[in-house]
Amino acid sequence: MMIKAWRWKKQILSLLAGCLLFAAAQYADHENSLNPGILERGGYGEEPKTYEILVEGIGEKPFPCRVEITSVQYSSEEANAAFEEILSRLPSLILGDNESLNQVKKDLNLVTFFEGTGVRALWQSKSPQLVDSYGRILSEEISAGGEAAVLMVTLTDGRYQREEEIGLTVLPPFETADESLAADFAKELDQANSREPEKSQVTLPQEFQGRPVSYQNVQVTSYWVLPILGAVIGGVLYGQEKAEEEKKKKRRRQLLMLDYADVVYQLMVYIGAGLTAAKAWEYIVDNYERGRKQNRMPERPAYEEMALTLGQMQCGLPEGKAVSEFGRRCNLQPYMKLSSLLEQNRRTGTKNLNQLLEQEMTAAWEEQKHTARRMGEEAKTKLLVPLFLMLLVVMVIIMVPALMVVK
């Protein structure tokens, strides 16, 4: 009995887990119904909370009700305490990149909301010629000693509010020697621009503070991308050439394997008819060249290599060496084996050469079938790419209108 229960352990555990979840859900519902007359408010400054409740005792049946509960609000004393705490921190909060409010050289960071307090701040500048209500420094003509400015801040939580004035001293922005020279020279350029406005050309200053000045156009466009682009294109072309070369080598090996069975078969037929291996070789090459001239046969690497071998033999190269080089040029194990069989037959006069060729042809036919099958599988794999692209296009056509409707 225990063994059977152990076999059903997954089902038993699933049932127990469902029961436990049911008990937990029931307990949670019971906890929620313990105090049906009490709902929790959100914290200060939070959005109102919405509750879905079930009301019992009013009608014959319980009915659902939705109630929106506002967040907690300050009392008068609590609001004043929150305002005092924020005002004590406010000078450090609005400094931005400045050292203090007595040395304001850059724009201020006027905070408008204080997280966790529900208090917001409204800003108004009482010195708009120096600083605006967003804390931006406006005037460029500020005396070295600085100029006083006043910002008015109004703190509010929605019910209560508090207004305070914050004083600050705006100083001229700090400039390096080069920045100061650039500002002075910019004034010289403005004067040159306004000197003779009726003329079609503006003559720029030829010297500044006793030093000669030269000008040149700023090069907006960077041309360094051109040699980089050339290098990238060169790399891509090199990679493409290597890929094409590998593709040609692979295609050549496939054609050699496909033609091997035919070559062995023709050799077996001619040698079986009483011809020597060299004469059979010559007949095969003659048939191939005749077919090429009559456009009945495409160019095949196996027969091209045989034609080259025949030419070497006709030019005086020993038959054995020519056949050996044929196998080395083809660089495939079956062709090396064939050249070895022919060379062995030439040296020892093997009587069962035709039988050996027949065995080799049987193996070659099997290898040819495997090669054709692999080529078919590769073609199927290549066809998957356009199919996936078509699927992607269909998905885009379906999804884009749906997304536009949702928006």
Side-chain angles (χ1 to χ4, degrees):
M1 190 68 180
M2 290 294 294
I3 296 176
K4 290 183 179 180
W6 181 252
R7 290 177 56 189
W8 296 91
K9 62 178 182 178
K10 293 183 179 179
Q11 290 77 7
I12 294 172
L13 290 175
S14 299
L15 181 59
L16 290 175
C19 293
L20 289 174
L21 290 173
F22 172 76
Q26 287 292 101
Y27 178 76
D29 282 345
H30 177 68
E31 285 293 313
N32 290 335
S33 64
L34 288 178
N35 297 305
I38 299 175
L39 297 176
E40 295 288 335
R41 292 183 183 274
Y44 295 113
E46 293 184 2
E47 294 294 327
K49 284 189 174 182
T50 302
Y51 290 91
E52 300 285 346
I53 60 176
L54 195 64
V55 182
E56 299 179 357
I58 296 178
E60 294 181 359
K61 296 180 180 180
F63 62 89
C65 183
R66 174 180 292 183
V67 59
E68 186 176 90
I69 305 299
T70 58
S71 59
V72 178
Q73 296 185 355
Y74 290 109
S75 64
S76 178
E77 293 78 9
E78 290 173 338
N80 285 327
F83 294 157
E84 288 292 342
E85 191 273 335
I86 291 172
L87 288 172
S88 65
R89 296 187 292 116
L90 197 55
S92 61
L93 293 176
I94 66 174
L95 278 177
D97 294 330
N98 298 288
E99 295 181 0
S100 70
L101 293 181
N102 293 325
Q103 297 180 351
V104 177
K105 300 178 180 179
K106 298 181 180 179
D107 293 346
L108 297 169
N109 178 30
L110 299 186
V111 183
T112 58
F113 181 73
F114 304 93
E115 194 70 33
T117 65
V119 177
R120 298 183 178 274
L122 302 176
W123 295 90
Q124 183 180 1
S125 175
K126 288 192 171 183
S127 306
Q129 74 280 5
L130 295 176
V131 59
D132 64 9
S133 298
Y134 297 98
R136 295 175 296 194
I137 305 300
L138 301 179
S139 178
E140 297 180 356
E141 301 292 338
I142 301 175
S143 61
E147 297 185 23
V150 177
L151 290 174
M152 173 70 74
V153 59
T154 302
L155 300 179
T156 179
D157 68 334
R159 295 179 65 193
Y160 305 100
Q161 67 180 27
R162 174 87 167 269
E163 292 185 353
E164 287 288 336
E165 290 185 355
I166 298 178
L168 51 100
T169 302
V170 180
L171 298 177
F174 175 77
E175 294 181 345
T176 63
D178 288 341
E179 289 174 342
S180 179
L181 285 174
D184 293 340
F185 188 71
K187 296 177 182 178
E188 291 283 341
L189 293 177
D190 289 338
Q191 293 177 4
N193 178 44
S194 59
R195 188 172 296 124
E196 295 176 331
E198 67 278 1
K199 289 189 175 181
S200 61
Q201 294 180 337
V202 177
T203 302
L204 299 179
Q206 300 301 309
E207 62 176 23
F208 177 70
Q209 296 182 359
R211 288 175 289 184
V213 179
S214 61
Y215 304 92
Q216 62 180 2
N217 289 324
V218 176
Q219 185 176 350
V220 178
T221 305
S222 177
Y223 298 103
W224 282 102
V225 68
L226 297 179
I228 297 175
L229 182 61
V232 171
I233 293 175
V236 171
L237 292 176
Y238 175 76
Q240 186 179 6
E241 289 177 358
K242 295 291 290 185
E244 287 293 330
E245 185 178 346
E246 288 297 323
K247 186 177 179 180
K248 289 180 180 179
K249 289 181 180 179
K250 182 179 179 180
R251 178 63 178 169
R252 182 175 183 274
R253 288 194 296 268
Q254 289 176 343
L255 291 175
L256 284 171
M257 291 305 302
L258 289 174
D259 288 337
Y260 181 67
D262 294 333
V263 170
V264 175
Y265 175 75
Q266 293 182 65
L267 284 173
M268 183 187 69
V269 170
Y270 285 128
I271 292 175
L275 297 178
T276 62
K279 198 65 178 176
W281 195 285
E282 183 177 349
Y283 269 97
I284 294 172
V285 173
D286 287 342
N287 290 335
Y288 169 72
E289 291 180 345
R290 193 179 305 112
R292 288 286 294 152
K293 290 179 181 179
Q294 297 174 2
N295 294 323
R296 290 186 292 103
M297 289 186 64
E299 183 177 336
R300 309 290 283 195
Y303 295 104
E304 292 293 333
E305 294 295 342
M306 291 183 71
L308 178 60
T309 301
L310 178 62
Q312 289 176 336
M313 289 189 292
Q314 291 174 348
C315 291
L317 188 68
E319 180 183 340
K321 188 173 182 180
V323 172
S324 297
E325 287 191 4
F326 166 76
R328 179 180 56 79
R329 287 196 306 272
C330 293
N331 197 26
L332 289 174
Q333 185 64 32
Y335 284 92
M336 293 180 180
K337 184 177 181 181
L338 176 62
S339 63
S340 177
L341 287 176
L342 295 176
E343 174 62 15
Q344 183 180 0
N345 174 72
R346 190 190 64 81
R347 290 201 309 266
T348 61
T350 306
K351 295 181 180 180
N352 59 345
L353 176 62
N354 211 41
Q355 183 179 356
L356 295 174
L357 290 176
E358 186 176 355
Q359 295 174 359
E360 187 67 19
M361 186 196 68
T362 303
W365 282 117
E366 291 297 323
E367 183 62 30
Q368 188 182 51
K369 287 191 291 184
H370 290 318
T371 302
R373 189 178 296 112
R374 284 196 299 269
M375 292 175 68
E377 291 173 355
E378 290 177 0
K380 290 180 181 179
T381 304
K382 292 178 180 178
L383 288 175
L384 289 176
V385 176
L387 288 177
F388 278 118
L389 291 176
M390 291 174 64
L391 176 62
L392 180 61
V393 171
V394 172
M395 291 178 64
V396 171
I397 293 174
I398 295 173
M399 292 177 65
V400 168
L403 292 175
M404 292 175 67
V405 170
V406 170
K407 290 182 179 179

